[in-house]
Amino acid sequence: MRCHAPQAHLAARPCKTRREYEQLSEKLRHHFGDAFEQQPSVAGLHLCVTFTRGGARLEREFTRRARDAGIGIEALSGYFAGAPTHHGWVLGYGGVTVDRIDEGLRRLRTRLAGAL
């Protein structure tokens, strides 16, 4: 069984993957409001968000806080071959169950409290 998804790479994946992607997107908006802007994803089991303010300094600080809390997040700037033009995160969800997504984002929100 396959799901219909607006993103072409998700249309070819099982429904569970689409559910995870949609839940992660929804929960990011719920927990962080307009602090992040979700970027279109064309492949993989990840979601890319850019910070709407704060740039490189915020990316470094938030990534450090997340990692200190045991949350696996990658800084977007590390994916640029040259100087980064955007700052944010790459959040992988391929190995995360749907019920753990909200838990992880709640922990992240707590860890970033006061800094957003």
Side-chain angles (χ1 to χ4, degrees), residues 13-81:
R13 299 210 182 268
C15 293
K16 181 179 180 289
T17 302
R18 179 170 182 240
R19 231 180 12 253
E20 291 164 341
Y21 179 88
E22 290 172 348
Q23 184 176 21
L24 181 55
S25 297
E26 175 188 324
K27 296 300 182 179
L28 271 169
R29 285 189 299 277
H30 171 77
H31 286 289
F32 299 102
D34 66 351
F36 302 112
E37 182 177 314
Q38 184 175 328
Q39 300 302 310
S41 179
V42 294
L45 296 172
H46 67 277
L47 187 131
C48 177
V49 296
T50 53
F51 297 127
T52 55
R53 57 189 174 277
R57 181 194 58 78
L58 204 60
E59 182 187 67
R60 280 190 306 274
E61 177 64 18
F62 282 7
T63 301
R64 184 191 59 75
R65 288 184 187 198
R67 288 180 180 161
D68 287 350
I71 300 167
I73 286 181
E74 295 294 325
L76 178 60
S77 61
Y79 288 86
F80 285 83

